[in-house]
Amino acid sequence: MDKLIQIQDYNSPYGQLILGSFQEKLVICDWKHRKMRLAIDRRIQTELGATYQFSNSSLIHSTIEQLEEYFKGSRIAFNIPIRFCGTEFQKSVWQALLLIPYGKTTSYLQLSENLNNPKAIRAVASANGANALSIIVPCHRIIGTDGKLVGYAGGLRAKQKLLSLENKAGNTEQLSLFS
C-alpha cells in the first residue's frame, strides 16, 4: 500500500478525536479511544488501499477550524468534503444522519422508517455505531424511542454535552424528536 491517509489527533472540548484525510476528503473524524477503533481503522484502510501516516493537511486544518466554530456555538453545519468507507447500507444510514437538523434528535426506529426499512432497527443502530465521521455526520442526534440517551462512541457524557451545545447554541426549544 503506497497510498496514505493523513491523520492527526485533535483534543476537542468533548474528548480526543482522530482526524484523517485522503485525496482531499475527510474519511475519519472519530473518537480516538472508542471500542471499535481497530475495526474502523481496518475498514477505512482496506477500502482505500491506504495506510495511516501522522501528518497535517489543509483539509484537516479546515476541519479543526470548523469543529472549533461548532464547539463555540457559531457553526451549525459543516462544509467539508467527506468520503464514506463502508457498505452501501451503512452509507445510506450515514446519509440519513446528515438530514437530521441541528438541535433536533431522532430515534433508530424513526431513522429505519425514514430509510423505508422499519424492521432494520438493529442494522441501523449497528451502522450508526460504525460511523467514522462523528460530529460531522451527527450520530449523536440519535436517541432511544423513549427519549433516553443510548450508546455513543464518544460516551454518553460527550453525547449529552453535544446535544446540550446544539440546544443552547441553536436557541431551539427543548430537544425534540425529529420525524
Side-chain angles (χ1 to χ4, degrees):
M1 291 190 213
D2 298 318
K3 296 190 270 182
L4 298 175
I5 301 164
Q6 295 172 289
I7 62 167
Q8 182 177 340
D9 290 339
Y10 169 63
N11 291 317
S12 84
Y14 300 92
Q16 192 173 28
L17 298 169
I18 180 171
L19 307 175
S21 67
F22 179 76
Q23 297 178 346
E24 296 303 313
K25 292 191 177 170
L26 193 70
V27 294
I28 187 168
C29 175
D30 203 7
W31 302 98
K32 179 141 183 165
H33 303 291
R34 66 176 294 177
K35 290 178 186 174
M36 294 176 57
R37 174 81 282 123
L38 292 177
I40 288 174
D41 292 343
R42 198 171 313 122
R43 183 186 77 222
I44 291 169
Q45 291 178 67
T46 299
E47 183 168 322
L48 299 176
T51 57
Y52 288 168
Q53 179 181 51
F54 278 94
S55 63
N56 205 345
S57 72
S58 59
L59 183 62
I60 289 174
H61 180 74
S62 296
T63 300
I64 291 171
E65 285 180 349
Q66 289 191 28
L67 284 168
E68 289 179 352
E69 291 168 358
Y70 169 83
F71 295 133
K72 289 177 186 170
S74 61
R75 174 174 289 279
I76 64 170
F78 297 96
N79 60 1
I80 298 163
I82 61 174
R83 178 174 175 173
F84 294 129
C85 295
T87 66
E88 289 308 311
F89 179 78
Q90 288 172 326
K91 291 175 186 178
S92 72
V93 171
W94 300 331
Q95 282 291 341
L97 290 171
L98 289 170
L99 301 176
I100 305 169
Y102 181 92
K104 300 288 183 180
T105 58
T106 192
S107 67
Y108 293 121
L109 175 60
Q110 288 174 313
L111 194 56
S112 63
E113 288 172 350
N114 291 348
L115 291 165
N116 296 315
N117 201 345
K119 293 184 179 181
I121 298 168
R122 288 180 191 238
V124 165
S126 178
N128 192 60
N131 175 24
L133 292 165
S134 289
I135 303 170
I136 307 293
V137 177
C139 54
H140 61 278
R141 295 180 187 152
I142 300 296
I143 60 173
T145 305
D146 60 2
K148 293 185 179 174
L149 293 186
V150 290
Y152 184 59
L156 291 182
R157 186 166 182 253
K159 182 175 191 159
Q160 178 60 58
K161 288 171 75 176
L162 291 168
L163 292 174
S164 294
L165 167 73
E166 290 187 11
N167 190 37
K168 184 176 165 184
N171 294 321
T172 61
E173 60 281 357
Q174 289 295 322
L175 287 175
S176 59
L177 289 176
F178 167 75
S179 340

